Structure formats: C-alpha cells, structure tokens
Amino acid sequence: MRIVPCLSMALRDMWTVSFLRDVFREFLGTALFLLIGLSSTTTLPAANTGDSISHSAELSTSSSPSNLNLLQEPPDCHLDPLRVALAFGAALVVVCVGMGEVQLNPAVTLALGLGLRLSPWRAVVFVGAQLLGALAACAILMGIVPSPLQGQLGLNEVSVAPGVLLFQAVAMETAVTFQLVLCVLAMSHPSATSKSLGPTVLGISVMLGHLTAIGYTGCGMNPARSFGPAVVMQNFHNHWVYWVGPCAGAVLAWLLRDVLLWPRWSSAGDWV
Amino acid sequence: MRIVPCLSMALRDMWTVSFLRDVFREFLGTALFLLIGLSSTTTLPAANTGDSISHSAELSTSSSPSNLNLLQEPPDCHLDPLRVALAFGAALVVVCVGMGEVQLNPAVTLALGLGLRLSPWRAVVFVGAQLLGALAACAILMGIVPSPLQGQLGLNEVSVAPGVLLFQAVAMETAVTFQLVLCVLAMSHPSATSKSLGPTVLGISVMLGHLTAIGYTGCGMNPARSFGPAVVMQNFHNHWVYWVGPCAGAVLAWLLRDVLLWPRWSSAGDWV
Amino acid sequence: MRIVPCLSMALRDMWTVSFLRDVFREFLGTALFLLIGLSSTTTLPAANTGDSISHSAELSTSSSPSNLNLLQEPPDCHLDPLRVALAFGAALVVVCVGMGEVQLNPAVTLALGLGLRLSPWRAVVFVGAQLLGALAACAILMGIVPSPLQGQLGLNEVSVAPGVLLFQAVAMETAVTFQLVLCVLAMSHPSATSKSLGPTVLGISVMLGHLTAIGYTGCGMNPARSFGPAVVMQNFHNHWVYWVGPCAGAVLAWLLRDVLLWPRWSSAGDWV
Amino acid sequence: MRIVPCLSMALRDMWTVSFLRDVFREFLGTALFLLIGLSSTTTLPAANTGDSISHSAELSTSSSPSNLNLLQEPPDCHLDPLRVALAFGAALVVVCVGMGEVQLNPAVTLALGLGLRLSPWRAVVFVGAQLLGALAACAILMGIVPSPLQGQLGLNEVSVAPGVLLFQAVAMETAVTFQLVLCVLAMSHPSATSKSLGPTVLGISVMLGHLTAIGYTGCGMNPARSFGPAVVMQNFHNHWVYWVGPCAGAVLAWLLRDVLLWPRWSSAGDWV
C-alpha cells in the first residue's frame, strides 16, 4: 500500500517540538479568542450594583411601566452590534499579538493550505486543534457566565434570522469570509509592506464582518466559532451554512489572489 | 485626422496584461467595497432567533404597546450612524489591503488624473470600471438582502434630507470629499513617511466623512457609490449633487496640495 | 529704542515663502479641522427621506405618543458622545496627514513655544492664524448647516453644565489638555520611535478628551475651537475657562516633560 | 544577619536618578491613567446647557412621563460600555506614549518581575507608586467631579453584579488580565516586530477587557485601579477578587509565554 509510507512521512514531518508547539498555540489561541469574543455576546446583567449600569434598569422600567417582568430580563445594553463587533475584532488583534502567528479559523487554514503555504496534513491537525479550542472555550464559558445570562451561549448562530433565505445566509457568510481571507493572504505575502500592521488590519476585517453580517446570520466567518456553541447547545440546525459559506469564501479569495491576480507560480521566491 | 493615431496610441498603452489587471482590480474592489459598505446600511432584521438581537424586539414592543405593527418593521438597531461609518471605513481598509492599490472612487481618480499621476485615458477606463463595479454590488445586494430589509437598497442618497438646501448638500459633499482626497494625495506623495499606514488613514477619513455628512446627504463622497443604488432604484432625483460635490472637492484638494502648497513641477522626481 | 531692530529682525525671519506657507496651512488646517469637527456636533435632521435614518422618527413618536411635536425637534441620534468624540479624533488625524505638520491649537503652540521649538513671534502669528481659521470655519458652518439644525452652532461651550463649578470646569479642561500636549511633546521628540504613528496617537488623544470632558465642559481642549463659536454666537459667558484651562494644561505638560523628566538642556542635539 | 547587606545592596541599586524618575513616572502615569479613565465612568450630567446633550433630557422625560424626578437623575447617556471601554483603552495609549514606558498595573509588574525583566525590590517600589497614584487620582476626582455625578466615584467595582458568583468574577478577571499580560510580554520581547505599535495594541487589549467584563465585574484588570476607589469609598467588600483574579491571570500569562512557549532561558540574549 502507498498509504503507510505516506502517513509515516507526514507523521515524521509533524512529530517535532516546533510543530507540536504550533498546534498547541492554535488550540489555545482559538480558545482564548472565542472565550473573549463569545463572552461579549452574552447578555449583560440587568441590575448592576456597581454604578456604571445601574441606571439602565431604572430607565427601562420607567419607559415601559406595563412590562413589570422586564427587570428579570436582560436590558437593552446587550444588543449593540458595535460592542460585539469591536470585541471580536480586538480579540483577534490581542490573540495574534500575544500568541504569535496563529490562524484560529478553519477557513483561513483551508486558504493557506490551498496556497501551499501549509502542508495538507498540518492543515488537518490545525483544524482539529481549532475545533477542540472552540469546544474548550464554550465549556469554560458555561462555567464562567452566570446561567441566566448565558442566553444561547454566545451566539448560537445556527438559526438564521427570519426572512433570510438559506442561500442568502450562505452568500453573506461567503462575502464576509472572502474579505477576511483576502486580508490574510495579502498579509502573508512576502512583500507585504505593512507586516507589523497585520494583526490590526485583520482585527478591522473581523470587526467589519460582524458589523455587516451580524443581523443576518449572526456572523460566523469561522467554522470553529460556529461549531463550539452548536455542540454545547446541541443545536445543529442549518449548521452546514457556517461551514459551506466560509469555505466558499476562502476558496474564492484564494482563487482571486493566488491564481488570478498574483499567481504564485510566477516567481519562485513566492513559495514560502 | 489626428484622432485615430491618438486613439491607437492610447489603446496600445492600455492593452497590457498589467493594465487590464488593474482595471479588473478596480472593478472588483469597488464591487466588494460597496457590497460590504452598503449592506451595513440596510435595515437589520427585527426579530432574530439568534440570541444577540432577540431581546431588542421585545423591548421595542413593550415600550410602545400602542404600535403593534412595529414588530414587522425594522427596529432601532439600524439607525446608528456609528455602525455605518465604521463599516464603510473598515471596508476601505480591507479592500485597500486585500486588493493592493485601488482607487474605488471617480473623484479620487479625477484628482490623481489632474495631478498627472494617471494618464487621462486610463482614468476614463478606471471610472468606467468603478461604475460597473457599483452596479454589480447593487445587483448582488438585491439578491442577498431579504426584500423586506432592503429599504432603499443601501443608501439611496439622491433625496436630500428635508431642510437641507441643495447648495448646502453640495457644499457638504465638497467638504467631505475634500478631506478624503487630501489624504489620498498625501499618501501618494513619494516622501510619505507612513506609507504602510495608508489604508488605515484613508479608512479613518471615510469614517469621518460618514460621521459628518450622514445626516445631511447620506454621505456620498464617491459618485460610484451614489450611482449604483440610483440606477437600481431608478431614482435619479438630485443625483447631480453626488457628482458635482465630490468632483469639486477633488479639484479643490488637488489645487491646494499639487498647485499651492507642494507644487509638483518644482522637483522632477515628483513625477511618478 | 531696542524694539525697532528687534521687530525688523523678527519680520525678516518670518517674511519667507516657507513661513508664509506654514501660516496658511495653520489657518486652513484649523478651519478644516473645526469645520468637520463642529459639524458633527450639530443636531442631525429628524426625518430623513433616505432610508438610513427614517425609522428613527417613527420609533421616537411611537414610544412617546404624548409628545407630538417631537418630530419637529431633533431626535436622539445626535446626543451620542461617541460620535462627536470619534469625529474630532478622526478629523485631527486627517488634517495632520493631509496638511503636513500643523498645530491647530493655541495651547499646543504655547507648549512648543515654551519648549523653544518655535520662536515667540512665529508662535504669535500661528495663534492668530488659528483663531482666524476658527472664525472661518464657523462662518462656513453658518452657511452650510440648515438653520433649524444649527443649535448653538457646533458646541457653544461657554456655558458650563449645571452642577459643575467653575474651578471644576477649569480643572477638567486642564487635565484634558495636559494629556494632549504630553502626546504632542512626546511625538515632537527627536527620538520618537513611532513618528509615523503620530497623527493616529494624537487623534486618539483628542477622542479621549472628548469622551472624558464632553459631559462637563463640552470639551474645549483648544482655545481656537472655543473661540470660533463664541464669536459667532456672541456668547462669551465664562469664555475665559476655555483659555485658562488649556493653557494651564499646556504649561504643566511642558514642565513635566521638558523640565522635569527629559530636560531639554541636557543634550545639545535636543534643540531643534 | 544576611538581611542588612542585602537591603543595602538593593537600596544602592535603587538610589539613582534614573530609577527615582521611573518611580515618579509610574506614580504620575497611573494617576493620569486613572484620572481620565475613571472620570469617563462617572455619570454624565443630565441637562447640559450646551447644545450637544440638551435634547437627551427632553427625550427621556417625554418617553417616561410617569417618572418626573428623572431629570434630577443622570440620563441614559452614561451607561454605554463602549464609551468606558474606549476611554480606558485610549487613556492607556496616551499615557504610554506621553510618559514613556510605564507599567501602571501591579499585575503587569508582577508578570515582568516573574520574567526577571525587573528586580524584585524595584517591582515592590513600582507597585507602591502605582497604588499611591491610584489614590491621588481618586482624590483629585473627588474634587473635580460634581458630587451628584460622582456615583461610586468611577467604578466602585467591589460589589459583583447579582447572579455572578464569586468564582465566576475571579475567573473573568483572570481571563481579562491574562490577555492583557500576554500582550505586554509579547511587546517586551526583544524581537517584537511591531515595537512602535505597542501602546496601540495594549490600548486595544484594555478596551477589549472592558467590553468583555464590564457587565460582570465592572472590569478591574488592574489592582491599583480597583484599590483607589475602594479606599476612597471605604468599601472593601469582595475587594480580594480584584487582586486574586488579575494576579492569577498575570502568573498564567507568564507561565504560558516565558516558560512554555518561548522559554526565556533558551537564549541568553533574551535576558534584558
């Protein structure tokens, strides 16, 4: 059989301290990214004995005296798409700076693998580490966030907003991931002038995706991010949307940059 | 006739792989920029089965029990100028990084053409590609965004806010484009110290324009951006405002920088 | 008399194309900065026929059916301190990038003059240009902004919020200008590692000042910015606060950096 | 005894102009950081005679006619987590740029001390200076902020939000400080590519922490920041949470970076 030597070669390639550390960073980075990002999507507590939020509850009740049970429910602080978008964008910047170069996203790993910046077996192991990291983040969130505030545990984004057709959700996810992977590929280009700005630009891209898509699909952009809450909430309804959309976006972005506009085979030095 | 040889020279200058790729990037970049930017201006869905927005609808109804049909209409999540401004600014950063140097804006192309950084025939082709890109973005948006949420399809900015006189709208558009083109010209200057920061600064400039003008004219700043929705919605009322204002701003910015303050003929090396 | 030769020397020093261009840039930069910044503080139109703001009015009326004349008044879109803070911060970035190195602020000019980075007569001319620029910006705003939306024409910041004592207003202005001038001096230091980031950091500092002080004093930070609306609205009540506070902050920041922490006489190369 | 010579050695090491200046910068930097940051958490004045906020009060009363004493209380402008998060993040950027390299945070000092970038006695003196700076900031705030608006004087974050268990608060503080210290350690690494971006990235990290944790614990991240208001308000209830959480986060971040991923003993040049 040809499989055995091939597999042993792949294993020998991967069984190095450097690669194991990369896998660990991928796992930990995804966990940290999603732990912080998803915790910003949980509903804020209604009444805070601290001063900063306390008047919110008073205002809510006074403006809706007919609805007395509102105090038990989360107030309107939460539903600010800006807060969620800023938190996810900033979390990406912080994790990319703090953990070194990480991918955190199966769609990004797919695009880098297609662009031959990554061997296929490494890509598979990275995706596995990312999914495990997402699960770990959700498990920790279940413990950290008080249960009445957990909501769907971060964004349970499987259910698409009413009125949004499935093909529209897929297209939105594709568009949103397309722009993210475009940035990732531009940043990984050896002649990128603004290498040090990389994390910031990627953070802006993630923020942009949330600003655009959060009302339609909850903004996946990242199968690992969608996978974690789906497993923990046992809700896989329309879950395929959050795999097909981002992967299609990643493939399109790779086609555009590495095949069409800046073909990687044109200059040998391009091959990392 | 003199026209034929002149035209053939222009054609020979443009019929190169490099220029065709630039035109294609201009088309695709404008389409992507407007697709993401305009989709952030569409109204957010009212009731989202995902957790992040769901309580919004409850709150809205409870605070206005007399208005029962509100649930069908978009809630107040949408009308945040900050969200639109951040989305357009971030979209510019992402497209500039992901697609390489693109102009995306007929007013910018006009200023660069006046500054002789671009031959006139190339400028015309670029503007054409930008307008086509805007049309493509609007066509895609018509398909992606659920019809009850399309509103005027992004910003149909032809109709000026009540109380704003036409000359005021033109002046606002001029001011807002003036500052954008000033930044573009500063960034394209060969001695720009902060080349790598270019996209970020331009994104800040676009965000600023929206923060300032969104309440008065909807913020055009870019004839291509105004042209797309106008065609798709078949609404050309006062459309000239969004061509005259930005072009006047671009000409003024070019006069200030390239003629008055840093005259480009003073040093030969200035000529790109 | 000694004054005549001294004056003629100063005049000869200043009567150069380079200096006249600097003065013109100072005038135009301040005008542009305040035109954009102040226009973001004018109230947004209530009902916008464009789609982006239109539902705001509906919501406002439905949630307050007892107040029918609300539609004529500006809705709640305006009173977002974030929008004003972001607009002023972004305007500073844009003007600093687009116009080259400008000071835009009499308090900054005072600190740079004290630090001997600027001759006193140049500082006086710069301050005059800044005040004229502020007047020009306010005059243009009177024309551009529809009169029902002008409010106090940008921020008429002379009247201090009720409950805020005068010494508290001065202290707040001092603190807010102190941090801005600290950043300016750090950026003008010859060994500044992040020269290209300068405009961005100053923009963040201006944004911070508005986030902090906008509720107490309306956030001056800049005597020119306070002077313009005060002249146009003919309202000089407590206007001295917006001169004393920023100038005190500038002097304190200069004392801290140039005298106490990094004394400029310690190394000769420090003298620009 | 061994203590006396050891102490005298430490004293001789510290009794230098350079170190005393560092301690003073630590004190002043923390005071400035907290003065600006905490003042953004105080409630905004209800009725502002300036134009920018005045319509807020009108709207509040009209939408809640049953609650007539609302005008005396602070309106809803304040409870925007975005404003607080942006202010703290921007304050860090400004202070880091304006005061040079400062730590401002006992948890950061702990991590740098563990990583042997700082001698233990210096770390102790720095922490003392930071605590004194926090006290000074709170004392100044008591004077500057009008008493009806002081609330709990910035965030009195000792009281944890209802429904949040103590171990959850500690875990949230740990997570939030973990990501901050991770960034600090990455930035202090000698091979950091983006040194000049340091303050910006740390500001993003501080903003992120507030976006995430402000609803649960008020977001400490910094024992000095929690210590100041606790002393001034004489409220040490659950105060240990804001020491244990951040210190645990700092130790974990140090373990991850300096021991596990990039062990500092592997290359001698790593030792600062």
Side-chain angles (χ1 to χ4, degrees):
Chain A
M1 307 291 282
R2 283 275 167 74
I3 292 177
V4 174
C6 192
L7 212 73
S8 80
M9 191 195 79
L11 267 177
R12 234 173 311 128
D13 178 38
M14 295 193 295
W15 195 254
T16 62
V17 172
S18 148
F19 180 69
L20 290 181
R21 197 188 284 155
D22 281 1
V23 171
F24 179 65
R25 277 166 51 209
E26 206 65 49
F27 165 78
L28 210 73
T30 311
L32 185 60
F33 172 59
L34 292 184
L35 179 61
I36 301 176
L38 290 177
S39 83
S40 83
T41 68
T42 55
T43 48
L44 282 182
N48 194 325
T49 50
D51 192 57
S52 66
I53 320 268
S54 64
H55 294 291
S56 153
E58 291 176 27
L59 265 178
S60 304
T61 32
S62 64
S63 67
S64 60
S66 62
N67 193 338
L68 287 169
N69 68 336
L70 195 70
L71 206 61
Q72 278 77 356
E73 290 188 25
D76 61 347
C77 262
H78 168 58
L79 36 100
D80 192 354
L82 276 181
R83 183 172 158 251
V84 176
L86 276 177
F88 267 103
L92 192 82
V93 175
V94 163
V95 171
C96 280
V97 166
M99 306 287 294
E101 284 195 6
V102 280
Q103 302 168 2
L104 309 176
N105 187 338
V108 168
T109 304
L110 172 65
L112 293 176
L114 285 175
L116 296 180
R117 289 166 177 88
L118 200 68
S119 63
W121 45 87
R122 292 196 170 199
V124 169
V125 177
F126 275 1
V127 169
Q130 288 158 2
L131 294 181
L132 281 179
L135 287 182
C138 290
I140 297 176
L141 266 185
M142 292 281 276
I144 288 186
V145 176
S147 44
L149 308 173
Q150 283 175 356
Q152 295 289 67
L153 193 62
L155 277 200
N156 183 3
E157 12 183 82
V158 177
S159 44
V160 174
V164 180
L165 304 176
L166 273 180
F167 91 90
Q168 291 172 331
V170 172
M172 192 59 92
E173 287 293 319
T174 303
V176 149
T177 316
F178 177 76
Q179 54 93 10
L180 172 66
V181 176
L182 219 57
C183 281
V184 171
L185 292 177
M187 282 304 160
S188 76
H189 198 273
S191 73
T193 54
S194 48
K195 223 93 241 186
S196 74
L197 274 179
T200 316
V201 170
L202 296 184
I204 290 175
S205 178
V206 165
M207 184 192 78
L208 175 60
H210 282 82
L211 287 178
T212 303
I214 205 170
Y216 300 103
T217 64
C219 192
M221 287 180 87
N222 183 339
R225 178 213 190 291
S226 309
F227 181 71
V231 168
V232 177
M233 305 305 288
Q234 292 291 337
N235 186 341
F236 285 94
H237 188 229
N238 290 333
H239 186 57
W240 62 271
V241 167
Y242 299 97
W243 283 86
V244 171
C247 289
V251 171
L252 283 177
W254 166 72
L255 280 175
L256 180 69
R257 273 198 76 99
D258 277 5
V259 177
L260 208 59
L261 291 181
W262 291 275
R264 278 172 67 75
W265 53 83
S266 60
S267 66
D270 245 11
W271 298 88
V272 177
Chain B
M1 310 290 283
R2 283 277 165 76
I3 293 177
V4 174
C6 191
L7 213 72
S8 82
M9 190 195 79
L11 267 177
R12 234 173 312 127
D13 177 40
M14 294 194 295
W15 195 253
T16 63
V17 173
S18 148
F19 180 69
L20 291 180
R21 198 189 283 156
D22 281 1
V23 171
F24 178 65
R25 277 165 52 209
E26 207 65 48
F27 165 77
L28 211 71
T30 311
L32 185 59
F33 172 58
L34 292 184
L35 179 61
I36 301 177
L38 290 177
S39 83
S40 83
T41 69
T42 56
T43 48
L44 282 181
N48 194 325
T49 49
D51 192 57
S52 67
I53 322 269
S54 63
H55 294 291
S56 153
E58 292 176 26
L59 265 176
S60 303
T61 33
S62 64
S63 68
S64 61
S66 62
N67 193 338
L68 286 169
N69 68 336
L70 195 69
L71 206 61
Q72 278 78 354
E73 291 188 24
D76 61 347
C77 261
H78 167 59
L79 37 99
D80 192 356
L82 276 182
R83 182 171 158 252
V84 177
L86 276 177
F88 267 102
L92 191 83
V93 175
V94 163
V95 172
C96 280
V97 165
M99 305 288 292
E101 284 195 6
V102 280
Q103 301 168 4
L104 309 176
N105 188 338
V108 169
T109 304
L110 172 65
L112 293 176
L114 285 175
L116 296 179
R117 289 167 177 86
L118 201 67
S119 63
W121 45 86
R122 292 198 170 198
V124 169
V125 177
F126 275 0
V127 168
Q130 288 157 2
L131 295 180
L132 281 180
L135 287 183
C138 289
I140 296 176
L141 266 185
M142 292 282 275
I144 287 187
V145 177
S147 45
L149 308 173
Q150 283 175 357
Q152 296 288 66
L153 193 61
L155 276 200
N156 182 2
E157 12 181 84
V158 176
S159 44
V160 174
V164 180
L165 304 176
L166 274 181
F167 90 91
Q168 291 171 331
V170 173
M172 191 61 90
E173 286 294 320
T174 304
V176 148
T177 315
F178 177 75
Q179 53 94 10
L180 173 66
V181 176
L182 218 57
C183 281
V184 172
L185 292 177
M187 282 303 160
S188 75
H189 199 273
S191 73
T193 54
S194 47
K195 258 267 136 90
S196 73
L197 274 180
T200 316
V201 169
L202 296 184
I204 290 175
S205 178
V206 166
M207 183 192 77
L208 175 60
H210 282 81
L211 287 178
T212 302
I214 205 171
Y216 300 103
T217 64
C219 192
M221 288 179 84
N222 184 340
R225 177 212 190 291
S226 309
F227 181 71
V231 169
V232 176
M233 304 306 288
Q234 292 291 338
N235 186 342
F236 285 94
H237 187 229
N238 289 334
H239 185 58
W240 62 271
V241 167
Y242 299 97
W243 283 86
V244 171
C247 289
V251 170
L252 283 178
W254 166 73
L255 280 176
L256 180 69
R257 273 199 74 99
D258 277 5
V259 177
L260 209 59
L261 290 181
W262 292 274
R264 278 172 67 76
W265 52 80
S266 61
S267 65
D270 246 11
W271 298 89
V272 178
Chain C
M1 309 291 282
R2 283 277 166 73
I3 291 178
V4 174
C6 191
L7 214 71
S8 80
M9 191 195 80
L11 267 177
R12 234 173 311 127
D13 178 38
M14 294 193 296
W15 197 253
T16 63
V17 173
S18 148
F19 180 69
L20 290 181
R21 197 189 286 156
D22 282 1
V23 170
F24 179 64
R25 277 166 52 209
E26 206 65 47
F27 165 78
L28 210 72
T30 311
L32 185 60
F33 172 58
L34 292 184
L35 180 61
I36 301 176
L38 290 177
S39 82
S40 82
T41 69
T42 56
T43 49
L44 282 181
N48 195 325
T49 49
D51 192 56
S52 66
I53 320 268
S54 63
H55 293 291
S56 153
E58 293 176 26
L59 264 178
S60 305
T61 32
S62 64
S63 66
S64 61
S66 62
N67 194 339
L68 286 168
N69 68 335
L70 196 69
L71 206 62
Q72 278 77 357
E73 292 188 25
D76 61 348
C77 262
H78 168 59
L79 36 100
D80 192 355
L82 277 181
R83 181 171 159 253
V84 178
L86 276 176
F88 267 102
L92 191 83
V93 176
V94 163
V95 172
C96 280
V97 166
M99 305 288 292
E101 284 196 7
V102 279
Q103 301 169 2
L104 310 177
N105 188 339
V108 168
T109 304
L110 172 64
L112 292 176
L114 285 176
L116 297 178
R117 290 167 177 87
L118 200 68
S119 63
W121 45 86
R122 293 198 169 198
V124 169
V125 177
F126 275 1
V127 169
Q130 288 156 2
L131 294 181
L132 281 179
L135 287 182
C138 290
I140 296 176
L141 266 185
M142 293 282 275
I144 287 186
V145 176
S147 45
L149 307 174
Q150 283 175 356
Q152 296 288 67
L153 193 61
L155 278 199
N156 182 2
E157 11 182 84
V158 177
S159 45
V160 174
V164 181
L165 303 177
L166 274 180
F167 91 91
Q168 290 171 331
V170 173
M172 192 60 93
E173 286 294 320
T174 304
V176 148
T177 315
F178 177 75
Q179 53 94 11
L180 173 66
V181 177
L182 218 56
C183 281
V184 172
L185 292 177
M187 281 304 159
S188 75
H189 199 274
S191 73
T193 55
S194 46
K195 218 85 217 215
S196 73
L197 275 179
T200 316
V201 169
L202 296 184
I204 290 175
S205 179
V206 166
M207 183 192 78
L208 175 60
H210 282 81
L211 286 178
T212 302
I214 206 171
Y216 299 103
T217 64
C219 193
M221 286 179 85
N222 184 339
R225 177 213 190 290
S226 309
F227 181 71
V231 168
V232 177
M233 305 305 289
Q234 292 291 336
N235 185 343
F236 286 94
H237 188 228
N238 290 332
H239 186 57
W240 61 270
V241 166
Y242 300 97
W243 284 85
V244 172
C247 289
V251 171
L252 283 178
W254 165 72
L255 280 175
L256 179 68
R257 273 199 75 99
D258 277 5
V259 177
L260 208 59
L261 290 182
W262 291 275
R264 278 172 65 78
W265 52 81
S266 60
S267 65
D270 246 12
W271 298 89
V272 178
Chain D
M1 310 291 283
R2 283 275 166 74
I3 293 177
V4 174
C6 191
L7 213 73
S8 81
M9 192 196 79
L11 266 178
R12 232 173 312 125
D13 178 39
M14 294 194 296
W15 195 253
T16 63
V17 172
S18 149
F19 180 69
L20 290 181
R21 197 189 285 154
D22 282 0
V23 171
F24 178 66
R25 277 167 51 210
E26 206 66 46
F27 165 78
L28 210 71
T30 311
L32 185 60
F33 172 58
L34 292 183
L35 179 61
I36 301 176
L38 290 177
S39 82
S40 83
T41 68
T42 55
T43 48
L44 281 181
N48 194 326
T49 49
D51 191 57
S52 67
I53 322 266
S54 63
H55 293 291
S56 154
E58 291 176 26
L59 264 179
S60 304
T61 32
S62 65
S63 66
S64 60
S66 62
N67 193 339
L68 287 169
N69 68 334
L70 196 69
L71 206 61
Q72 278 77 357
E73 290 188 25
D76 61 347
C77 262
H78 168 58
L79 37 99
D80 192 354
L82 276 181
R83 183 171 158 253
V84 176
L86 276 176
F88 267 102
L92 192 82
V93 175
V94 163
V95 172
C96 280
V97 166
M99 305 288 293
E101 283 194 8
V102 279
Q103 302 168 3
L104 310 176
N105 188 338
V108 169
T109 304
L110 172 65
L112 292 176
L114 285 175
L116 296 179
R117 290 168 177 87
L118 200 69
S119 63
W121 45 86
R122 293 197 169 199
V124 169
V125 176
F126 275 2
V127 168
Q130 288 156 2
L131 295 181
L132 281 179
L135 287 183
C138 289
I140 296 175
L141 266 185
M142 292 282 276
I144 287 186
V145 177
S147 44
L149 308 174
Q150 284 176 356
Q152 297 289 69
L153 192 61
L155 277 199
N156 182 3
E157 12 182 82
V158 177
S159 43
V160 175
V164 180
L165 304 176
L166 274 181
F167 90 91
Q168 291 172 330
V170 173
M172 192 60 93
E173 286 293 320
T174 304
V176 147
T177 316
F178 177 74
Q179 53 93 11
L180 172 66
V181 176
L182 219 56
C183 281
V184 172
L185 292 177
M187 281 305 159
S188 75
H189 199 273
S191 73
T193 54
S194 48
K195 214 95 211 215
S196 73
L197 274 179
T200 317
V201 170
L202 296 184
I204 291 176
S205 178
V206 165
M207 183 192 78
L208 175 60
H210 282 82
L211 287 177
T212 302
I214 206 170
Y216 300 104
T217 64
C219 193
M221 288 179 85
N222 183 340
R225 178 213 190 289
S226 309
F227 181 72
V231 169
V232 176
M233 305 305 288
Q234 293 291 337
N235 185 342
F236 286 95
H237 189 230
N238 290 333
H239 185 57
W240 62 270
V241 166
Y242 299 96
W243 283 85
V244 172
C247 289
V251 171
L252 283 177
W254 165 73
L255 280 175
L256 180 68
R257 274 198 75 99
D258 276 5
V259 176
L260 209 58
L261 291 182
W262 291 275
R264 277 172 67 76
W265 52 83
S266 61
S267 66
D270 244 12
W271 299 89
V272 178

